[in-house]
Amino acid sequence: MKICIDERAYEGSALEIMDQLRQQTFDPTEYPDTESYIWQLRSNYIRTTGLDCPLPESGVEGQALAMFAHLAKAGSLTILEE
């Protein structure tokens, strides 16, 4: 997978990219794992867009993929390769 956020490209599995983003937060210890970071992104997405953001319960990779799809629909990132 390859995505672009603010002219910066990220590559890897959805989980690897999400973990890179988690580690770039102001305080990466605030989110002890990638799944907690995804759920925080989901919360922010719902709050800012007012849209539902369903995530699958089966695995963090699937949650990361779904979150990227929602963010792409909102124009927050571009999915370059799946």
Side-chain angles (χ1 to χ4, degrees), residues 44-56:
N44 290 344
Y45 177 89
I46 292 168
R47 187 175 55 254
T48 58
T49 66
L51 301 172
D52 192 19
C53 185
L55 297 177

Side-chain angles (χ1 to χ4, degrees), residues 6 13-14 20 22 33-34 42 46 48 50 57 61 68:
D6 295 330
S13 70
Q20 290 174 45
R22 179 181 70 87
D33 56 36
T34 305
R42 178 185 181 271
I46 292 168
T48 58
E57 293 182 24
E61 178 73 20
F68 285 139

Side-chain angles (χ1 to χ4, degrees), residues 12-44:
S13 70
L15 181 59
E16 290 168 339
I17 294 170
M18 196 61 79
D19 193 51
Q20 290 174 45
L21 296 173
R22 179 181 70 87
Q23 291 181 25
Q24 291 176 3
T25 61
F26 292 108
D27 181 7
T29 62
E30 185 176 352
Y31 309 104
D33 56 36
T34 305
E35 186 173 20
S36 63
Y37 178 67
I38 293 169
W39 286 91
Q40 180 59 40
L41 283 177
R42 178 185 181 271
S43 238
N44 290 344

